[in-house]
């Protein structure tokens, strides 16, 4: 554990709380959009980086003493070792403070937390990714995982949209890396185009219905704003995708990440430990509070 | 109504003359900080006290439950010293304290600690909580007289506790029956050299238990309760409660099994040093589910009331296999509008 922060108030022996983060240094900052930056970080303690085992879908609590903490999905793939990446949209106090940081600055990281995308539901099958806005962040971890382990998975289709062309995240991968791969097909859309945009214009759920992919042999993984997920799930249901083969992620407020602070409780689940990844079939069993 | 079974055979049982209670107290006080129910402005509270004479074993319930000893209302997770671009250490010397002995806990509060253990000592165990729990000696007390809001028999957490204690005291009139529930409890009994209890003491205890159980007037029928709740998510009772509830969060503060907490950074005036703190929080407060940009996962007050009741009576059971309510009645007593799980369940059942 971190030597940089002193743990537990009444602790005579300093066994630190699980809420004490590791110290990590920002190695690279990529400006994805006007309000999204990707932070590549490495732990100060090389042993921590070495032991940090995770799978796509898992999250970390990022932390800046004085500004707080937030749960952010890991956007790098575990197939690419030696660093972690987090794509963060600037929306509140913590994320605004994070956006001020530069390479060389330190942040706190604890995790990995939560479950991961269920690989057995995807292996040997065609994969359809449906993403919206910053929702591509957790999907990117899985997309790169699937690309790096391509013998284990079928062909990949990605339907991704954002408010405007400049709000599309991971442009380098969307327009170059992924676009160049023969087994990956990309379908981009924006809510509102601009002078230079020649692609599709329209909301993601409508574009999905328009493309009407066949459900046979396909597993769908979707992530985006809650309202997009809601309509994507409806569209998938209309297209005949069984809810057991539709995977999504939930968002809730979180303070601890370890199933104790109570914020992310929905029914008998804590999104931080039992989620964030759920199938549409599992969601149907929860009270309609997500 | 389900009749609570008599406690399973304890490791050891002894008779303790009323006057000898002081011996038990002294034996514990030699190596522990003692905490017990004491009277304060006409109500009772658990607090540290060195004086057995101040202890009120005739108490009905305390304002706050015993969770405060293991999970303090406000704690420091760590201290920090920040300057641009770096997190710097601030080592803190921690004082070693003598372990605690809780003297006179009723069954409801003993069960509540067992439930909190499931949360705090399972996966991602809280080391400070786990240490405090492990070293705390618990002297439980069979509750003979239910308070006006009590309904512990519904969850079999009382009136006589069956587990979760080192020693259990039952007032048999002329003397106490003391039963050990742990090896260290049995060891202490041995050390006291008290006269072993006999079958007559056990019979008398069973009789006392019957009498105590018969005094309960309030019950939550637990048979089929999860099913009832699963079907009642849209029941009109939640809208009616919404109009009563003030969202003050008192119910969760006094609840012995509420464990939700907030985490925040307290920055000192130098804007460099500070502490990350955690503190009891309440799902009843508006900002509990609020995130950036004013989004709120439970903005509707009815959703927040439902969250508390469902968490106690349904979700906790799904997560940990036991009901999350112990029937102590504190939330009913503390609520200015007397919102009451007993009457809520009765309304859902259409009684």
């Amino acid at each position: 554990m971190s030597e940089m922060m002193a743990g537990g108030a009444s602790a005579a022996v300093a066994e630190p709380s699980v809420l004490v983060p590791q110290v990590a240094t920002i190695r690279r900052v990529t400006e994805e959009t006007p309000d999204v930056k990707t932070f590549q970080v490495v732990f100060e303690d090389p042993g921590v980086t070495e032991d940090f085992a995770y799978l796509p879908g898992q999250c970390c609590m990022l932390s800046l003493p004085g500004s707080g903490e937030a749960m952010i999905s890991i956007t790098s793939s575990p197939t690419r070792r030696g660093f972690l990446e987090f794509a963060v949209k600037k929306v509140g106090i913590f994320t605004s403070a994070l956006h001020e940081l530069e390479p060389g600055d330190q942040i706190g990281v604890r995790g990995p937390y939560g479950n991961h995308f269920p690989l057995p539901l995807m292996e040997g099958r065609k994969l359809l990714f449906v993403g919206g806005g910053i929702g591509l962040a957790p999907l990117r971890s899985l997309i790169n995982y699937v690309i790096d382990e391509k013998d284990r998975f079928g062909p990949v289709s990605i339907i991704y949209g954002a408010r405007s062309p400049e709000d599309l995240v991971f442009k380098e991968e969307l327009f170059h890396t992924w676009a160049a791969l023969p087994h990956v097909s990309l379908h981009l859309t924006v809510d509102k185009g601009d002078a230079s945009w020649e692609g599709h214009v329209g909301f993601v759920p409508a574009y999905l219905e328009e493309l009407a992919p066949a459900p046979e042999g396909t597993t769908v993984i979707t992530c985006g704003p809650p309202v997009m997920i809601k309509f994507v799930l409806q569209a998938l249901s209309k297209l005949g995708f069984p809810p057991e083969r539709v995977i999504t992620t939930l968002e809730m407020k979180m303070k601890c990440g370890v199933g104790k602070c109570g914020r992310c409780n929905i029914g008998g689940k804590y999104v931080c430990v039992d989620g964030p990844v759920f199938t549409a079939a599992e969601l149907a069993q929860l009270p309609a509070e997500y | 109504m389900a009749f609570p079974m008599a406690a399973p055979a304890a490791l050891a049982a002894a008779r303790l003359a009323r006057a000898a209670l002081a011996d038990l107290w002294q034996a514990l006080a030699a190596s522990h900080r003692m905490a017990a129910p004491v009277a304060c402005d006409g109500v009772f509270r658990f607090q540290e006290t060195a004086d057995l004479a101040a202890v009120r074993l005739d108490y009905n319930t305390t304002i706050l439950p015993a969770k405060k000893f293991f999970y303090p209302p406000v704690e420091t997770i760590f201290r920090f010293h920040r300057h641009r671009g770096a997190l710097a250490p601030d080592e803190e010397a921690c004082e070693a304290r003598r372990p605690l002995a809780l003297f006179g806990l009723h069954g409801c509060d003993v069960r509540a600690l067992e439930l909190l253990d499931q949360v705090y000592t399972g996966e991602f165990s809280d080391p400070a909580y786990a240490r405090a729990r492990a070293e705390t000696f618990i002297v439980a007390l069979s509750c003979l007289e239910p308070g006006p809001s009590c309904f512990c028999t519904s969850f079999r957490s009382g009136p006589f506790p069956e587990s979760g204690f080192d020693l259990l005291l039952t007032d048999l009139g002329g003397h106490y029956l003391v039963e050990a529930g742990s090896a260290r409890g049995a060891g202490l009994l041995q050390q006291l050299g008290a006269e072993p209890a006999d079958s007559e003491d056990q019979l008398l205890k069973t009789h006392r238990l019957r009498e105590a159980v018969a005094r309960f007037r309030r019950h939550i029928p637990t048979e089929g309760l999860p099913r009832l709740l699963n079907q009642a998510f849209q029941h009109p009772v939640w809208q009616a409660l919404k109009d009563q509830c003030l969202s003050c969060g008192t119910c969760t503060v006094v609840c012995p099994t509420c464990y939700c907490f907030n985490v925040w950074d307290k920055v000192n005036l130098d804007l460099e040093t500070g502490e990350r703190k955690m503190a009891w929080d309440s799902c009843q407060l508006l900002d509990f589910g609020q995130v950036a940009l004013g989004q709120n996962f439970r903005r509707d007050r009815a959703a927040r009331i439902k969250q508390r009741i469902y968490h106690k009576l349904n979700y906790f059971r799904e997560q940990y296999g036991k009901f999350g309510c112990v029937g102590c009645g504190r939330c009913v007593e503390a609520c200015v509008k007397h919102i009451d799980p007993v009457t809520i369940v009765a309304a859902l059942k259409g009684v």
Side-chain angles (χ1 to χ4, degrees), chain A residues 81-147:
Chain A
R81 295 191 57 80
F83 59 85
L84 292 173
E85 286 175 339
F86 304 94
V88 181
K89 182 166 169 162
K90 183 174 163 180
V91 287
I93 296 166
F94 169 76
T95 51
S96 297
L98 193 63
H99 268 239
E100 297 293 311
L101 300 187
E102 294 166 1
D105 290 345
Q106 291 181 326
I107 63 170
V109 178
R110 53 189 181 89
Y113 293 136
N115 67 356
H116 52 82
F117 292 111
L119 299 171
L121 288 183
M122 297 182 271
E123 277 160 334
R125 296 173 62 87
K126 289 185 274 183
L127 300 179
L128 170 62
F129 292 90
V130 184
I134 188 65
L136 192 59
L139 299 184
R140 174 179 177 254
S141 175
L142 182 59
I143 291 169
N144 282 328
Y145 183 92
V146 164
I147 286 171

Side-chain angles (χ1 to χ4, degrees), chain B residues 135-214:
Chain B
E135 68 186 20
T136 298
F137 193 102
I138 292 189
V139 180
L141 176 69
S142 294
C143 183
L144 301 175
E145 192 70 50
S149 300
C150 294
F151 53 102
C152 65
T153 53
S154 302
F155 303 106
R156 295 188 45 157
S157 53
F160 290 15
E162 293 171 17
S163 63
F165 51 81
D166 295 293
L167 289 176
L168 171 63
L169 293 173
T170 306
D171 189 341
L172 297 181
H175 65 280
Y176 284 99
L177 171 65
V178 195
E179 294 163 284
S182 71
R184 66 182 172 190
L188 186 61
L189 269 193
Q190 204 87 34
Q191 186 192 324
L192 283 174
E195 179 191 350
D198 57 26
S199 58
E200 210 162 303
D201 295 311
Q202 292 294 349
L203 267 176
L204 201 50
K205 180 190 172 190
T206 308
H207 183 65
R208 285 272 159 152
L209 174 61
R210 253 176 237 275
E211 284 178 339
V213 166

